[in-house]
Amino acid sequence: MDAFLQFVFSGLTVGAVYALVALGFTIIYNASDVVNFAQGEFVMLGGMITWFAHDAGLPLWAAALIAIALTSLVGVALNKLAIEPARGAPVISIIIITIGASILIQGAAQLVFDKQIHRYPAFSGDAPIEVMGATILPQSIWVILGALAVFVALWLFFTRTLMGKAVLATANNRLAAQLVGIDTGGIMTLSFALSAAIGALAGVLVTPITLVSYDVGVALALKGFAGAMLGGMGNPKGALVGGLVLGLLEALTAGYLSSQYKDAVAFIVILGVLFVMPQGLFGKTAAERV
């Protein structure tokens, strides 16, 4: 029982990161029906910029805020320089553009920072908390609570605000949204900024646990995408649940089978969703967007 609980704690921690990445996918998908495979690089930038700024002497909280702000600007630049000029192109072309942007951001981070693995101090210390014979790090609680807070904020944004409903309207019919006075260009810019900020927040929260380097974004993007698909692409609740379930499956696979199979779980989830339930766990809700 102790071992099982330990695997659950580990899975929830990693799953919360996947959920944050999946939530970033959800925002951009809701605004444009495009899957942004550069989302994992936003997580990497959040961790790397925070480390760089903290190493330069800034307090950790200030370094984290700077990282989130600068990563948001990178998201806006991605939209303005790469996505908007391709407006009207097939969706697959835009997806390929985001993959190219991911490679570009990764290469730029390698030049601006370095190739080393980095870590900065945990927010509340490294002393583990014991629960029923298992232990959980205080930073893991920060990660889990951060994912829950972002989910609640996004749910309120999409369901309770005019701006959130404008995002959904833009996704469903861009021309109709323009005809009723919605600034669809501004909506896209906002969506990329929010998505990048959420990715950066994930990087800020998880780096004290998993460490960060210039090349961590690809795996995070894949697993965040798997979590978003499992929950139902475009559904914030699905993104949260899908990310947490994927993290738990990974942890249990590594614990009871072998850590060598852990990374295969994301591929199996993607294939399973495509073949068995293409709409995901909450697909019907996602299909009823207004």
Side-chain angles (χ1 to χ4, degrees):
M1 185 62 186
D2 294 352
F4 174 76
L5 192 58
Q6 190 66 60
F7 297 148
V8 168
F9 287 158
S10 176
L12 288 176
T13 301
V14 177
V17 178
Y18 298 161
L20 286 170
V21 178
L23 287 167
F25 275 112
T26 294
I27 293 175
I28 293 180
Y29 183 82
N30 277 339
S32 62
D33 281 335
V34 170
V35 178
N36 174 32
F37 281 103
Q39 187 65 33
E41 307 309 327
F42 297 152
V43 182
M44 177 273 294
L45 287 176
M48 289 294 280
I49 296 173
T50 301
W51 165 79
F52 184 83
H54 182 61
D55 188 64
L58 289 178
L60 188 55
W61 64 267
L65 291 178
I66 290 174
I68 293 172
L70 290 180
T71 306
S72 296
L73 292 178
V74 172
V76 171
L78 171 61
N79 176 53
K80 292 294 186 182
L81 300 178
I83 304 301
E84 280 193 4
R87 180 61 55 196
V91 171
I92 187 64
S93 298
I94 299 179
I95 291 175
I96 292 173
I97 288 173
T98 67
I99 295 173
S102 171
I103 296 171
L104 176 64
I105 293 171
Q106 185 180 132
Q110 182 179 350
L111 292 175
V112 173
F113 303 110
D114 55 35
K115 299 181 182 180
Q116 304 303 313
I117 297 174
H118 298 288
R119 178 188 185 272
Y120 43 81
F123 298 171
S124 304
D126 294 315
I129 301 170
E130 185 170 341
V131 180
M132 299 175 62
T135 60
I136 184 171
L137 294 173
Q139 191 66 30
S140 295
I141 298 175
W142 278 94
V143 174
I144 295 169
L145 293 179
L148 292 174
V150 169
F151 162 71
V152 171
L154 286 181
W155 180 77
L156 292 174
F157 176 70
F158 283 126
T159 61
R160 297 288 188 270
T161 69
L162 289 176
M163 186 67 72
K165 293 178 180 179
V167 172
L168 301 183
T170 300
N172 280 288
N173 193 317
R174 187 180 181 89
L175 178 59
Q178 290 175 329
L179 291 175
V180 297
I182 295 175
D183 180 7
T184 55
I187 290 295
M188 284 295 296
T189 300
L190 173 65
S191 298
F192 271 86
L194 283 176
S195 177
I198 290 173
L201 175 63
V204 168
L205 293 175
V206 79
T207 294
I209 301 174
T210 63
L211 314 185
V212 68
S213 63
Y214 76 96
D215 58 352
V216 300
V218 175
L220 288 172
L222 172 64
K223 294 176 181 180
F225 176 61
M229 285 190 63
L230 176 60
M233 186 64 76
N235 189 302
K237 179 171 64 175
L240 178 69
V241 173
L244 291 175
V245 169
L246 180 61
L248 287 170
L249 289 174
E250 275 197 1
L252 293 174
T253 299
Y256 289 113
L257 294 178
S258 171
S259 59
Q260 294 179 343
Y261 303 124
K262 176 174 67 71
D263 291 332
V265 172
F267 293 100
I268 295 172
V269 166
I270 291 175
L271 292 175
V273 170
L274 288 175
F275 285 115
V276 179
M277 46 179 183
Q279 297 301 319
L281 295 174
F282 301 94
K284 290 184 179 179
T285 303
E288 294 173 358
R289 293 176 296 163
V290 295

